[in-house]
Amino acid sequence: MAGVVVRTREDVERWLRETDPSRLAALFSEADRVRHAVVGDEIHLRGLIEISNICVRSCTYCGLRRQNSSLRRYRMKSEEILAAAASAAAAGCRTIVLQSGEDPGLRPDFVASTVFRLKSELDVAVTLSLGEQPCDVLRLWRDAGADRYLLKLETSDLALFASLHPGEPEVVWERRLHTLGVLRGLGYQVGSGSLLGVPGQTLASVARDLELFQMLDLDMIAFGPYVPHPDTPLAQQLRAEKSSGNRSIGENGPCDIEESEWLRQPLTGLIAVALSRLLCPEAHIPATTALRMLLGDDALRPFFCGADVLMPDFTPAQYAVLYRIYPGKDRMAMQGEGLLSDYLERLALQGRPVARDLGDRKRL
Ligand code: SAH
């Protein structure tokens, strides 16, 4: 389409700061056209099961960080996971996503046997999102039948990454990047993504994220707006910056609070979805829960800006309230199957039926 050029990093950055409604409409409709042409009209349902909220990490943005002592911790049993997966499958999910904090108590063998049972008892693909793991563990899970793995880089800005993950060795970002390659080598379909709008993040760095994801030829890409969680250092930092006049000199020098605030807006989230689609046409791209939450009544919009994946939460209610990576997430999980079928009905009416296949990445 005339006017929608997304070639260089500068183009991407320009689109990320675009506010003109008619130019944005052109961007979204071009992303929608590419989505239709390349991955089709079907919506893939990935049933999310949050199997443990125990975490050894200290990510400054996340409510599951180990220092958050106000959170009651849980780890689901195998039978509970199987039962939740069965209800997800019954609701039309052909993929089950097992997600957790980085919980050393989730024994590799336990995960392997759970994956094996999911694959043999239900006709589903299995995606794991269990954080960084050593190569032999990833191989064990792949051999047990896991199809895909999600590991977000969160940002391509190394200094920002280091400040978001204090107390961890400097090599952590490189290790994550390396792990994405290991996953690929093991035959997983690989997903990654970034937070949008963490303090200190710039439009230029998000443009670099997109360039990196394109280079990695990811099978799945997710951008989720950062939602401050009050019991985390990052939210406290944000509050302090707000009250001191919107500017801070952090470890990384002056941070442009306005850019990161702009990146947290739901409109910018839609732009990131559209740009992901245009740069990585074959990737599966979710309408992330955080973005849908911020969009409120417009929660279906990502599906008309390039997205093709919905991840309904099938974590049992008593655990979903405790998988509180950011406030409001538990409410999104709680909305239950009534809302899901309402959602799906509205999408179907707009020409977007639920997919019946497993939703693997297809290469043109
Ligand atoms: N422990 C796993 C899974 C983490 S939870 C891992 O690290 O890979 C899944 C995602 O939630 C994270 O990758 C992060 O992008 C997102 N997340 C965490 N805290 C958030 C917050 N405050 N706002 C929005 N998204 C958040």
Side-chain angles (χ1 to χ4, degrees), residues 50 52 54-55 57 59-64 98-103 128-132 149-154 165 176 193-196 198 222-229 232 234 290 323-327 329:
E50 294 147 340
S52 164
I54 299 170
C55 193
R57 306 296 283 260
C59 311
T60 60
Y61 45 86
C62 183
L64 303 190
L98 303 183
Q99 192 179 76
S100 71
E102 273 181 37
D103 173 6
L128 299 177
S129 174
L130 307 176
E132 281 171 51
Y149 205 99
L150 300 174
L151 183 66
K152 290 200 187 176
L153 284 170
E154 313 294 4
H165 304 91
R176 278 204 173 206
S194 289
L195 287 162
L196 280 178
V198 284
F223 277 97
Y226 161 61
V227 183
H229 184 304
T232 59
L234 198 62
Y323 200 84
R324 205 163 174 266
I325 52 185
Y326 54 80
K329 179 164 181 312

